[in-house]
């Protein structure tokens, strides 16, 4: 009797999970599935379709990259600060030098123990 109730509970849980599962069309729209899994397409055709999808995506990326603004254009639009990379390196170098100078001025462990 206990075994039957466990089995019924498992069936109900599985049924509930299956109802929550997104449809094939929804998973394809979200880019999770590239092909319908409920059709009987040959593996060769599915592989060719996948290659075509990759090729189209690659072409689209190439097009977008050619339209991408360069650093000078971004500076003109106020998106990128002029010489931002150089200033950042200078700032890091200065911070590193300040840290090293501070460590040199710091008392050693034996000096701090001598103070009590």
């Amino acid at each position: 009797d206990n075994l039957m109730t466990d089995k019924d509970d498992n069936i109900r849980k599985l049924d509930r999970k299956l109802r929550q599962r997104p449809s094939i069309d929804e998973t394809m729209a979200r880019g999770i599935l590239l092909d319908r899994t409920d059709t009987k397409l040959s593996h060769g055709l599915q592989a060719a379709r996948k290659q075509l999808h990759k090729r189209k995506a690659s072409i689209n990326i190439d097009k977008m990259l050619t339209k991408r603004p360069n650093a000078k254009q971004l500076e003109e639009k106020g998106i990128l600060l002029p010489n931002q990379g150089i200033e950042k390196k200078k700032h890091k170098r200065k911070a590193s030098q300040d840290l090293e100078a501070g460590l040199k001025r710091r008392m050693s462990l034996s000096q701090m123990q001598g103070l009590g």
Side-chain angles (χ1 to χ4, degrees), residues 69-82:
N70 60 29
K72 185 172 180 151
Q73 292 169 333
L74 293 174
E75 286 175 9
E76 290 170 359
K77 290 181 180 180
I79 297 171
L80 187 66
L81 297 176

Side-chain angles (χ1 to χ4, degrees), residues 13-36:
K13 287 178 185 177
L14 181 62
D15 187 48
R16 187 176 14 164
K17 292 289 184 182
L18 288 173
R19 283 194 308 258
Q20 293 174 350
R21 185 177 179 177
S23 69
I24 292 173
D25 292 328
E26 187 179 339
T27 54
M28 287 179 68
R30 291 169 50 191
I32 298 169
L33 285 177
L34 298 178
D35 295 314
R36 294 193 67 88

Side-chain angles (χ1 to χ4, degrees), residues 10-107:
N10 287 339
I11 290 172
R12 272 189 247 113
K13 287 178 185 177
L14 181 62
D15 187 48
R16 187 176 14 164
K17 292 289 184 182
L18 288 173
R19 283 194 308 258
Q20 293 174 350
R21 185 177 179 177
S23 69
I24 292 173
D25 292 328
E26 187 179 339
T27 54
M28 287 179 68
R30 291 169 50 191
I32 298 169
L33 285 177
L34 298 178
D35 295 314
R36 294 193 67 88
T37 56
D38 58 346
T39 59
K40 300 292 182 200
L41 292 176
S42 70
H43 290 292
L45 184 58
Q46 287 180 359
R49 197 185 259 177
K50 188 174 184 178
Q51 282 298 108
L52 179 63
H53 180 76
K54 282 184 177 181
R55 200 171 313 123
K56 283 183 177 180
S58 178
I59 291 169
N60 285 338
I61 289 172
D62 288 341
K63 286 179 184 177
M64 290 165 62
L65 286 175
T66 58
K67 295 178 184 178
R68 182 180 179 188
N70 60 29
K72 185 172 180 151
Q73 292 169 333
L74 293 174
E75 286 175 9
E76 290 170 359
K77 290 181 180 180
I79 297 171
L80 187 66
L81 297 176
N83 298 323
Q84 188 175 12
I86 295 170
E87 293 299 320
K88 201 172 200 180
K89 285 181 182 179
K90 286 180 183 177
H91 176 72
K92 283 184 178 181
R93 191 176 308 126
K94 174 98 171 83
S96 177
Q97 289 171 347
D98 291 345
L99 179 62
E100 285 182 35
L103 288 173
K104 287 179 183 176
R105 288 191 305 267
R106 188 171 84 170
M107 288 192 289

